[in-house]
Amino acid sequence: MKRLKAALIGLAGVGGDYLSALQADDLFEVVAVADRDAALLRQCTEGTSLRQYADYRSLIVEMGHAGLDALFVAAESFRSFEYMEAAAERGIAVFHKAPPARNVDEARRLAEWFSGKGRSFVVPRLWQCDPAFACLIDPAEPIGRVCTAVAEVRTTAGSQGWRGDSVRAGGGVLLNSAYEQVDMLVALLGVPESVYAQCGATALPGTARNYDTEDTMLVSLRFAGDRIASVAAWRGAPAPHSRVALIGTQGLAEVFPDRLELALAGGATESNVVRTVPPVAGAVHAFGVARLAEDPPEDQPDDGCLARPAATPAPKLEVEDYVATMAVIEAAYLAAKTDEPESPSRWL
């Protein structure tokens, strides 16, 4: 079977996970990588035949002409955003790390660029592509109707560099560390009717403040049907941590990076399901399966077996889904300024 030609932009951080997942997946043939760090670029491509680029646009233009099937982006949105229109114009499907944009306006422009182009722009919801978390696609089955949710995020990332610059970062710990948790709440509970938030930007002990993004954020969300949720995010913690607790009418589900814990009402059932594959690997493979379904290779008969099926099929996401999540985050930032509840609907 013909493999999908893939390229990767951004090798630092989660970019290394993307590269490992792509190289281990038989649906893909990695043909090119790009990073502005020349030393990192050499290190990651040593002993390979991968084409190397220091400029993102050059990769998109040249690889687009060479029939690139999928572009994986692990660079921050302030570095990648200006090149996404070029990818859309060339009909390249994009898999972009979260968050995909710095604000609702940029998210809406992504929607305009990719809608109707016949190619996907995907920001992975890793929990939807992991068989260990399959029950969360319809949480009503194990835990009943979700009434309350609590998300907690702590990150060790400091405030220096781009993370402390509101122009480049677009926001602080809420946008750049808790986007995936907010997106999970929106996916499971819908767009909240109102959002209230408070934030802080306090220098670490013994240091002078030289940044203008928030270190801490507390967000309260109210959804239709009197359902409520909260998000607490903190940057500069001694150790990373994330947890989303979903409290339903029949039990509790707690989502951690490496496992899912279920406790049903009355103590009837309690389980701890551990992830068996790296979180990115399932999402990368599901994207490949979806990409083949969009555009089956001409030399492969359509016999229903284009590729091994993803362990848990990823729902088809529209670009507008990311606009909704960004609207919730933008409402939180506005509420922190006005000290009043704000509605994400003003951006939708």
Side-chain angles (χ1 to χ4, degrees):
M1 184 189 72
K2 178 182 176 181
R3 301 167 77 190
L4 296 167
K5 291 183 179 180
L8 171 64
I9 288 177
L11 294 170
V14 74
D17 297 333
Y18 281 21
L19 184 58
S20 296
L22 285 166
Q23 291 175 328
D25 196 314
D26 57 13
L27 294 186
F28 295 99
E29 175 192 0
V30 186
V31 294
V33 294
D35 198 281
R36 295 182 177 182
D37 184 332
L40 180 61
L41 190 60
R42 287 194 301 272
Q43 176 185 334
C44 292
T45 57
E46 185 176 1
T48 73
S49 59
L50 296 177
R51 297 196 62 172
Q52 304 173 29
Y53 292 86
D55 177 71
Y56 300 163
R57 184 176 181 83
S58 295
L59 181 150
I60 292 170
V61 172
E62 294 183 17
M63 289 294 98
H65 286 308
L68 189 67
D69 296 302
L71 176 65
F72 290 78
V73 182
E76 291 76 24
S77 59
F78 76 89
R79 290 194 172 103
S80 65
F81 177 78
E82 63 182 295
Y83 306 111
M84 292 302 96
E85 185 175 15
E89 288 174 347
R90 287 160 178 78
I92 300 173
V94 174
F95 180 105
H96 199 296
K97 67 172 277 191
R102 290 172 289 185
N103 51 53
V104 173
D105 179 62
E106 287 188 352
R108 201 176 298 282
R109 288 170 67 187
L110 287 170
E112 293 172 353
W113 292 339
F114 282 87
S115 294
K117 294 293 194 303
R119 290 291 177 264
S120 301
F121 182 93
V122 170
V123 180
R125 287 173 172 165
L126 302 183
W127 56 276
Q128 288 186 331
C129 303
D130 194 313
F133 296 171
C135 67
L136 291 182
I137 294 176
D138 183 11
E141 181 66 27
I143 64 172
R145 180 177 182 271
V146 177
C147 302
T148 307
V150 178
E152 304 166 347
V153 181
R154 297 197 303 265
T155 175
T156 57
S159 302
Q160 304 303 315
W162 68 269
R163 290 183 177 85
D165 180 356
S166 61
V167 174
R168 287 185 292 170
V173 66
L174 179 65
L175 174 61
N176 290 294
S177 298
Y179 174 94
E180 291 173 279
Q181 287 74 20
V182 174
D183 185 61
M184 176 184 283
L185 296 179
V186 173
L188 295 176
L189 301 175
V191 176
E193 294 179 340
S194 67
V195 177
Y196 179 70
Q198 292 184 319
C199 65
T202 305
L204 298 175
T207 64
R209 178 180 169 187
N210 60 352
Y211 55 93
D212 63 351
T213 58
E214 83 279 359
D215 293 319
T216 59
M217 195 84 172
L218 300 175
V219 184
S220 297
L221 308 102
R222 179 170 292 279
F223 299 84
D226 290 329
R227 297 188 292 178
I228 58 174
S230 67
V231 179
W234 172 31
R235 183 170 62 193
H241 168 78
S242 70
R243 166 182 172 267
V244 178
L246 303 168
I247 301 94
T249 55
Q250 299 175 26
L252 165 69
E254 292 183 278
V255 185
F256 298 91
D258 62 341
R259 68 192 189 281
L260 170 70
E261 296 184 2
L262 284 176
L264 301 188
T269 303
E270 190 166 332
S271 62
N272 185 346
V273 183
V274 179
R275 272 182 160 146
T276 57
V277 296
V280 168
V284 165
H285 185 74
F287 182 72
V289 171
R291 179 68 187 85
L292 283 169
E294 285 180 340
D295 190 12
E298 293 180 1
D299 58 352
Q300 178 72 24
D302 186 4
D303 59 359
C305 299
L306 290 176
R308 68 181 189 274
T312 301
K316 178 70 174 178
L317 297 179
E318 301 296 333
V319 183
E320 287 75 9
D321 292 332
Y322 317 127
V323 177
T325 298
M326 290 300 302
V328 174
I329 292 173
E330 195 144 333
Y333 281 127
L334 180 60
K337 294 177 181 178
T338 63
D339 199 27
E340 296 283 348
E342 300 290 347
S343 173
S345 63
R346 66 185 295 168
W347 288 279
L348 299 174

